[in-house]
Amino acid sequence: MLDVNTAPPPLLLVQGDEELLASRAITAAVEGARAADPGADVREYEAGALAAGEVAEMLSPSLFGGRRVLVVRSGQDARKDLITALVAYAKNPDPEVSLIVSHLGGAKGKALADGLKSAGATVVAAAKLKGDRERVAFVRDEFRRNGGRCDEAAAAALLASVGNDLREIAAACSQLIADTDGKITEAVVARYYKGRAEVSGFTVADAAMVGDVPGALEALRWALHVGVDPVPIADAIADGVRTVAKVASAGRGNPYQMASSLGMPAWKIQRAQERARGWTPEGLVDAMRAAADCNAAVKGGAEDRGYALEKAVFAVAAARRGGGR
C-alpha cells in the first residue's frame, strides 16, 4: 500500500479493474506527492483524450522547480503514439516528476502496461476481488484501517446484507465505525442492517433456489419498491445458482474441510448444501442459463428490469421443479 506521507515513485502503474482500489491507489499517490511538496503541480487526464505531443511538456521539469505529477487514467485506451511517448519517457524518467498510469489489465493497451513494467515501474494491483474469502478479508482490513475490528462471521454477515459492490462495502464499514464503538460482531451487523438484509438480492435468490416462488416474488417486489438497484439482485441470483452448482459438483462433505478447496467460507458451503437438495445437474444448467439471460437483460438496459428479474425467479424455480422429477 502506498504511503500518503511519502512522494510516489517516478513511475507508478495501477493495474486492475476494481475502481475503488484503483482510485484509492491514485489518491494515495497524489496525496503523497503533495505531502512531500505542497506546491506540487498535479494534472490528470484520460488516456483516450491525451495527445502524444502534450506529454513532453507535462513530463519535463518545471522552470520554477517543484514536483510535478501526471495522472493518466484508463491507460488501456491510449493510442499508439501516446503509448510510444510514455514508454520512451519511462526508460529515463525525471526523479522530480511522477507519472501515474491506471490500466484495467487485459489485452487492450497491453503494450503500455508491459512497457512501464519493463522500465521498472512500481505496480499496484487493483484487480476485482475473487470469492468470498477475499471479500471477507477486505471487510476485516477495512475495519482495521479505520480503527475498528470484526471477526469473520461479522464480515460475512455484512457482505450478506450489503452485497459485493466494494464501494458499498467500504461505505458500510465506515458507517458502522462511526455509529458504534468499533467492535463489530455478527449481532451488531444484524441489528444495524435489520430490514435491509430482508430486502436484499440474496433473499430473492435464496427463495428462488428452494422453489419458493411467492416468497421470492414478495421479496423482489419489496426490494424494488424500497429502491434496491436491480443489478445486485441479478448478481445475487446468478451467485446463488453458481454457488449451489459448485458445491453440488464437489459432492457431500464437511463444509469446514471443503472450504479451502472450494475457496469459500464454511457457512456459505453449508447453506449451499441445504439449497442443493432437489436439484439435478440438468436443472442447474437451466438455472444458470436463466440467470445469465437475466443479467444480460438487467445490465443491458432492458426497458422493464423488474420484469426480467421476475422472469428469472420463475425460470429458476421451474428448473428446480424440472430437475426434481
Side-chain angles (χ1 to χ4, degrees):
M1 182 175 291
L2 297 171
D3 186 348
V4 296
N5 296 310
T6 305
L11 300 175
L12 179 65
L13 173 64
V14 180
Q15 190 168 27
D17 54 354
E18 178 49 68
E19 184 182 353
L20 175 65
L21 299 181
S23 177
R24 280 184 174 180
I26 293 172
T27 298
V30 171
E31 288 180 356
R34 287 181 169 144
D37 180 0
D41 180 9
V42 179
R43 306 187 190 185
E44 297 195 22
Y45 296 87
E46 289 292 326
L50 183 60
E54 300 175 83
V55 171
E57 183 271 331
M58 294 174 191
L59 293 175
S60 61
S62 171
L63 294 175
F64 304 101
R67 176 166 292 277
R68 306 189 74 183
V69 180
L70 173 61
V71 179
V72 180
R73 296 180 182 268
S74 304
Q76 70 281 350
D77 296 331
R79 293 185 289 271
K80 287 184 178 180
D81 57 345
L82 177 59
I83 292 176
T84 300
L86 291 174
V87 171
Y89 168 80
K91 292 177 181 177
N92 187 29
D94 188 293
E96 291 301 312
V97 177
S98 291
L99 171 62
I100 303 169
V101 178
S102 69
H103 191 290
L104 289 179
K108 186 178 180 184
K110 188 172 183 291
L112 176 57
D114 289 348
L116 293 175
K117 290 177 184 177
S118 296
T122 298
V123 180
V124 175
K128 285 191 181 296
L129 303 186
K130 297 178 181 178
D132 289 281
R133 181 174 297 175
E134 290 190 5
R135 294 189 188 97
V136 165
F138 173 83
V139 170
R140 299 188 71 183
D141 184 62
E142 195 71 7
F143 280 115
R144 278 193 293 269
R145 69 195 293 268
N146 284 288
R149 66 176 185 268
C150 79
D151 57 21
E152 185 172 327
L158 183 63
L159 290 172
S161 297
V162 176
N164 294 332
D165 183 270
L166 229 56
R167 287 189 180 278
E168 277 201 46
I169 294 170
C173 293
S174 178
Q175 193 65 53
L176 277 171
I177 287 288
D179 293 348
T180 67
D181 61 1
K183 300 174 183 177
I184 312 302
T185 64
E186 190 173 5
V188 169
V189 174
R191 183 170 66 251
Y192 193 88
Y193 281 94
K194 181 172 173 32
R196 176 166 183 170
E198 293 168 2
V199 295
S200 74
F202 295 100
T203 308
V204 178
D206 285 345
M209 289 303 294
V210 297
D212 181 8
V213 174
L217 292 178
E218 181 181 3
L220 171 61
R221 288 162 186 167
W222 178 246
L224 295 175
H225 174 72
V226 298
V228 178
D229 190 274
V231 171
I233 299 177
D235 285 340
I237 293 173
D239 179 72
V241 176
R242 282 195 304 268
T243 300
V244 168
K246 186 175 183 179
V247 171
S249 66
R252 296 181 180 179
N254 185 306
Y256 292 93
Q257 295 175 347
M258 298 168 69
S260 177
S261 61
L262 292 180
M264 63 178 72
W267 65 265
K268 191 169 186 178
I269 295 174
Q270 184 174 5
R271 181 180 294 176
Q273 287 175 331
E274 295 169 357
R275 281 154 181 69
R277 295 169 189 151
W279 283 95
T280 66
E282 295 78 15
L284 287 168
V285 169
D286 289 342
M288 283 190 280
R289 187 178 298 115
D293 290 343
C294 176
N295 255 288
V298 169
K299 296 177 182 178
E303 289 187 13
D304 190 342
R305 298 193 292 174
Y307 171 73
L309 289 166
E310 287 195 7
K311 185 178 178 182
V313 166
F314 281 112
V316 168
R320 184 177 185 278
R321 288 195 303 272
R325 286 197 297 267

